[in-house]
Amino acid sequence: MKALTWQKKRTVTVEEVPDPVIREPEDAIIRVTSSAICGSDLHLYELLGPFIDRGDILGHEPMGVVVEVGSAVTKLRVGDRVVIPFNISCGECFLCRRGLQSQCETTQVREYGSGAALFGYTKLYGQVPGGQAEYLRVPLADYNHIPVGPDLPDERYLFLSDILPTAWQGVEYAQVPEGGTLTVMGLGPVGQFVSRIGRLRGYRVLAVDPVLERREMAERHGIETFDLTDTIVEELRDLTEGRGADSVVDAVGLEAHGNGGVAFMQRAVGLLPDAAARQVLDKAGIDRLAAVYASIDAVRRGGTVSLSGVYAGDADIMPMKTLFDKQITLRMGQCNVKRWVDDLLPLVEDVSDPLGVMDLTTHHAPLEDAPALYSTFRKKEDGCIKVVLHPSTA
């Protein structure tokens, strides 16, 4: 089959690789009809190469059709149409039963002290082959799927794999009071959905992003948007009676704008031999924290900051005095996809499309175009906000 593989920093290629096979009785194989490029994939493209091997298959936002099932699979049949959550969980352990599927005790990657295994996401999360490929092996398939109907287009359902439940969890964790104000830092795909979910719940939503096309997309959905300027925190306070928003969602994460010194260090780590680089990133990694610092400044006293953007640094300096003095609540974590599916499935199937799932993808392409589109997405060129690949149309 053809698959999108990591080769080196900023280099991914489509290669012929062996087809996946049933390895355990609980496995299933799907033919991938759609697979999105996630902003988190850019962390692999740019920063986390020391934890990837050349030839690893990327991608963790797939859906498709079941073509084979293992002998122990009882809830899937050949021909079923499914979305595959990005985290791999059992549904039965202590943490899964508490809605913390991203921390699944059955698939935790204990070698690196990480949570549940993820598709297509480095040694840190199990080095499981990903879904930017024509076919995908799904472990523990009875639980690790979302069944969907046969009639609506892929785009209605695809974002249930990651970014839509990630956004929903981000808003849940933000604890916005009824009729309150939610500030969203970043209008990439997750930030777009965070903003729309906030509007759907009746909040006032103020969203910040330096990219004009992203602001324009959000404005189509009734969001008040702002450029990222040196005075943005003061502007946001002025709009909230001088207090700041009740809640802020940071939908940017570790590759935020700002702090050129940290950016230089991240690039330098990429030049080290992999073993040394892994040690540095694991124990002394530092992220660009401009977005989370701004979120802490922009939230009102007694408010909540919810982190949906991915952070990986273990040596980051947090403004503990400010957090304590302002009595801020922090909520964060990898999304627990299956926890939110029952809330989201009716919304994506609603004929009115209240979350605008059909107004997010800016680029549809065959798998062969993926290498060029990774570059386009990273550079934010050509109005690129969300890329959906179509590995198989048969």
Side-chain angles (χ1 to χ4, degrees), residues 340-353:
W340 312 114
V341 169
D342 290 345
D343 296 309
L344 288 165
L345 195 56
L347 294 173
V348 302
E349 292 184 327
D350 188 325
V351 65
S352 69
D353 192 13

Side-chain angles (χ1 to χ4, degrees), residues 74-312:
T74 62
K75 297 179 181 178
L76 284 175
R77 295 181 298 175
V78 171
D80 286 350
R81 189 182 184 210
V82 293
V83 176
I84 305 302
F86 76 99
N87 35 39
I88 302 168
S89 51
C90 71
E92 299 176 354
C93 70
F94 176 90
L95 292 172
C96 282
R97 292 197 309 271
R98 286 156 177 79
L100 294 167
Q101 292 90 346
S102 68
Q103 311 301 320
C104 175
E105 292 177 315
T106 301
T107 73
Q108 278 178 17
V109 184
R110 290 177 172 81
E111 179 183 358
Y112 289 97
S114 301
L118 310 179
F119 286 103
Y121 216 79
T122 79
K123 295 181 175 75
L124 291 169
Y125 290 99
Q127 207 167 22
V128 181
Q132 290 169 8
E134 292 181 309
Y135 294 91
L136 174 70
R137 182 181 74 91
V138 181
L140 302 172
D142 268 345
Y143 189 70
N144 289 301
H145 76 276
I146 301 166
V148 298
D151 298 324
L152 295 175
D154 277 13
E155 212 165 333
R156 281 277 183 165
Y157 295 113
L158 177 63
F159 304 129
L160 292 171
S161 60
D162 177 358
I163 59 172
L164 192 48
T166 291
W168 190 269
Q169 178 173 294
V171 177
E172 287 282 332
Y173 282 8
Q175 304 178 105
V176 189
E178 185 176 352
T181 300
L182 172 66
T183 290
V184 182
M185 293 294 182
L187 283 168
V190 171
Q192 296 286 341
F193 279 144
V194 167
S195 300
R196 298 173 197 182
I197 291 164
R199 281 279 295 172
L200 183 70
R201 296 186 179 191
Y203 309 144
R204 182 187 185 189
V205 181
L206 312 174
V208 180
D209 197 285
V211 180
L212 175 62
E213 291 89 349
R214 294 181 173 192
R215 298 198 302 271
E216 290 175 340
M217 176 178 278
E219 288 165 5
R220 292 201 295 270
H221 296 269
I223 310 302
E224 297 177 64
T225 72
F226 303 85
D227 195 1
L228 180 63
T229 66
D230 292 340
T231 60
I232 186 58
V233 171
E234 288 77 9
E235 292 177 53
L236 295 171
R237 285 187 185 140
D238 287 345
L239 292 166
T240 52
E241 300 180 315
R243 296 189 187 94
D246 298 294
S247 307
V248 179
V249 173
D250 169 7
V252 180
L254 63 88
E255 292 188 287
H257 293 265
N259 201 329
V262 172
F264 174 80
M265 191 208 78
Q266 290 175 344
R267 289 193 296 271
V269 169
L271 300 176
L272 295 173
D274 282 356
R278 284 196 292 270
Q279 287 289 327
V280 172
L281 287 174
D282 192 36
K283 301 299 182 185
I286 301 177
D287 297 327
R288 282 180 277 182
L289 297 180
V292 71
Y293 287 166
S295 299
I296 291 166
D297 285 344
V299 74
R300 67 163 168 80
R301 291 178 180 273
T304 300
V305 173
S306 170
L307 306 183
S308 286
V310 173
Y311 286 96

